[in-house]
């Protein structure tokens, strides 16, 4: 199993960039697809991006496509989410999640979750 731990959140202005990191403990990190999700107050948790076990495939929500980039380094047990051109509507708690059976857009399909990191974008 893996235990994701997110970091890198903060308060930024619209148009700024932020890079989230997710360090996962465990020796089987490369066996898991990784995903980033976010949840704003009063809203459902929504898919942001996902990356396959070997980084061969990446997927993005339409709302972040072209602005966010997901990447991973299996040697470092880490996945990142580079967020550029941030907008106020990107404000949310961002979660990192791991899934053994591969990538999924459905948050309920993921096996392990981090505690989340707050991203606030002011206008």
């Amino acid at each position: 199993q893996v235990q994701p731990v997110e970091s890198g959140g903060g308060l930024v202005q619209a148009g700024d960039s932020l890079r989230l990191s997710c360090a996962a403990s465990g020796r089987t990190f490369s066996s898991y697809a990784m995903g980033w999700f976010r949840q704003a107050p009063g809203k459902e948790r929504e898919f942001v991006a996902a990356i396959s076990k070997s980084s061969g495939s990446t997927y993005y929500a339409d709302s972040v496509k072209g602005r966010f980039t997901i990447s991973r380094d299996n040697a470092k047990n880490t996945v990142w989410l580079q967020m550029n051109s941030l907008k106020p509507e990107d404000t949310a708690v961002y979660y990192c999640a791991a899934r053994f059976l591969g990538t999924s857009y459905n948050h309920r399909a993921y096996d392990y979750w981090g505690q989340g990191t707050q991203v606030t974008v002011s206008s």
Side-chain angles (χ1 to χ4, degrees):
Q1 67 180 49
V2 294
Q3 181 56 57
V5 178
E6 305 94 337
S7 62
L11 172 63
V12 296
Q13 293 188 331
D16 285 350
S17 297
L18 208 56
R19 189 192 199 200
L20 304 184
S21 298
C22 173
S25 62
R27 293 179 290 180
T28 58
F29 178 75
S30 60
S31 299
Y32 289 82
M34 301 299 294
W36 284 97
F37 292 80
R38 66 187 182 187
Q39 189 166 17
K43 294 189 175 181
E44 291 277 325
R45 190 166 298 190
E46 66 172 359
F47 171 79
V48 175
I51 188 166
S52 62
K53 301 175 185 182
S54 62
S55 304
S57 299
T58 56
Y59 306 89
Y60 298 94
D62 288 343
S63 59
V64 307
K65 202 170 293 184
R67 300 187 298 122
F68 291 11
T69 303
I70 188 171
S71 59
R72 68 187 293 166
D73 185 336
N74 288 340
K76 296 181 178 179
N77 280 21
T78 302
V79 61
W80 296 275
L81 184 68
Q82 177 67 43
M83 305 186 294
N84 298 330
S85 302
L86 282 161
K87 304 175 181 180
E89 50 263 45
D90 294 318
T91 295
V93 177
Y94 282 71
Y95 297 91
C96 175
R99 185 173 190 255
F100 183 74
L101 292 179
T103 57
S104 174
Y105 294 98
N106 184 355
H107 65 89
R108 295 179 179 84
Y110 282 74
D111 304 307
Y112 302 102
W113 288 85
Q115 81 290 348
T117 186
Q118 176 71 46
V119 172
T120 303
V121 184
S122 64
S123 57

